[in-house]
């Protein structure tokens, strides 16, 4: 079956430009997570969506970062006025639910390079 | 605050040997732990998990051990194969749904 997909796989952008990263979770998964992985580092939690509840945005590093999840499925992570320190791999994961199943399935990630 | 760390950032083993990857955690309230494997250019892949009310759990060629007394987690891989070469992350879940990840251990299997 189809797993979590993300697009684009790679994105190179100039400092100051806005970027949008897309995540398609596994069908039926109500929980969706965004993480950031910097070179040689672990995963840093960014934001979490669960069903129709208000998202947990506590991991977003600045107000330049925002995310939406339309129709309880596809999610878009937007970074405005990108900075070089935003360069990282952005990973999306989904799970059946935060409490019904803990296992998070990850997508391949989007590698963002800010020049 | 919560933190998860690894004792060994790199581990090199011979094919066929057993591998042990260690992880320390600091949040005694964590009730769930996971090991993930991440190959180059891919997202993390679930390997095995364990709840805090267990000490040991076995999967196919992998075993996770949990020592709550010293807040230590380990992943044992039996008969390590070249395909096991990857970065391995431990993660813990505290009082909410969030997972806190360690920085990872790079496992290299030499043929």
């Amino acid at each position: 079956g189809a797993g979590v997909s993300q697009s684009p796989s790679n994105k190179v952008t100039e400092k100051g430009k806005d970027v949008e990263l897309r995540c398609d979770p596994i069908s039926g998964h109500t929980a969706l997570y965004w993480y950031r992985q910097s070179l040689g580092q672990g995963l840093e939690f960014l934001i979490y969506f669960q069903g129709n509840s208000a998202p947990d945005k506590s991991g977003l590093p600045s107000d330049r970062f925002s995310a939406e999840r339309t129709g309880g499925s596809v999610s878009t992570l937007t970074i405005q006025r990108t900075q070089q320190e935003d360069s990282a791999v952005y990973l999306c994961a989904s799970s059946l639910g935060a409490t019904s199943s803990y296992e998070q399935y990850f997508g391949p990630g989007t590698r963002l390079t800010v020049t | 605050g919560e933190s998860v760390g690894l004792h060994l950032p790199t581990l090199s083993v011979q094919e066929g040997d057993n591998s042990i990857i260690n992880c320390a955690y600091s949040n005694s309230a964590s009730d769930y732990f996971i090991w993930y494997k991440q190959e180059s250019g891919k997202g993390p892949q679930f390997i095995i998990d364990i709840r805090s009310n267990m000490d040991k759990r076995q999967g196919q060629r992998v075993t996770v051990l949990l020592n709550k007394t010293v807040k230590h987690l380990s992943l044992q891989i039996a008969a390590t194969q070249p395909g096991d070469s990857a970065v391995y992350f431990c993660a813990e879940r505290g009082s909410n749904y969030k997972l806190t990840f360690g920085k990872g251990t790079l496992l290299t299997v030499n043929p």
Side-chain angles (χ1 to χ4, degrees):
Chain A
V4 177
S5 61
Q6 294 185 244
S7 61
S9 56
N10 283 283
K11 177 70 176 179
V12 179
T13 189
E14 293 180 352
K15 177 182 174 181
K17 296 288 181 66
D18 298 350
V19 296
E20 286 189 351
L21 313 179
R22 177 187 169 104
C23 171
D24 284 88
I26 294 174
S27 178
H29 281 193
T30 61
L32 186 147
Y33 312 76
W34 282 99
Y35 294 90
R36 178 169 69 176
Q37 185 174 30
S38 301
L39 184 63
Q41 298 294 312
L43 279 71
E44 173 189 6
F45 167 81
L46 296 178
I47 189 169
Y48 161 75
F49 296 89
Q50 171 57 44
N52 296 321
S53 301
D56 178 350
K57 305 179 182 180
S58 60
L60 296 178
S62 77
D63 58 7
R64 296 186 295 105
F65 288 73
S66 63
E68 292 184 342
R69 189 179 186 191
T70 56
S73 181
V74 173
S75 177
T76 301
L77 177 68
T78 301
I79 308 174
Q80 295 178 311
R81 306 180 302 281
T82 52
Q83 304 295 314
Q84 289 186 332
E85 60 262 29
D86 299 334
S87 295
V89 175
Y90 288 83
L91 290 158
C92 174
S94 70
S95 65
L96 279 172
T99 55
S100 62
S101 172
Y102 296 140
E103 183 175 347
Q104 296 182 21
Y105 296 82
F106 283 83
T110 294
R111 180 174 297 278
L112 175 66
T113 303
V114 182
T115 61
Chain B
E2 297 179 347
S3 68
V4 177
L6 294 169
H7 294 309
L8 298 174
T10 61
L11 178 63
S12 183
V13 300
Q14 291 299 122
E15 181 177 359
D17 288 351
N18 297 332
S19 301
I20 299 177
I21 301 172
N22 297 302
C23 178
Y25 65 94
S26 61
N27 184 3
S28 58
S30 292
D31 65 350
Y32 179 64
F33 303 87
I34 314 174
W35 281 100
Y36 282 91
K37 172 186 180 183
Q38 186 174 26
E39 297 175 282
S40 181
K42 298 183 179 180
Q45 178 185 6
F46 174 92
I47 301 174
I48 191 168
D49 59 2
I50 189 169
R51 295 185 188 276
S52 60
N53 60 356
M54 301 172 66
D55 298 324
K56 179 180 180 179
R57 191 171 185 209
Q58 288 185 296
Q60 187 176 17
R61 281 201 308 118
V62 295
T63 300
V64 55
L65 298 177
L66 177 62
N67 186 331
K68 294 181 288 295
T69 302
V70 296
K71 296 182 208 170
H72 185 267
L73 189 71
S74 69
L75 175 70
Q76 300 178 0
I77 305 174
T80 314
Q81 303 169 1
D84 295 327
S85 294
V87 176
Y88 290 80
F89 293 95
C90 62
E92 62 172 326
R93 170 182 160 130
S95 59
N96 54 33
Y97 48 80
K98 293 179 187 176
L99 292 177
T100 301
F101 288 81
K103 292 188 176 181
T105 291
L106 173 61
L107 175 65
T108 302
V109 181
N110 302 309

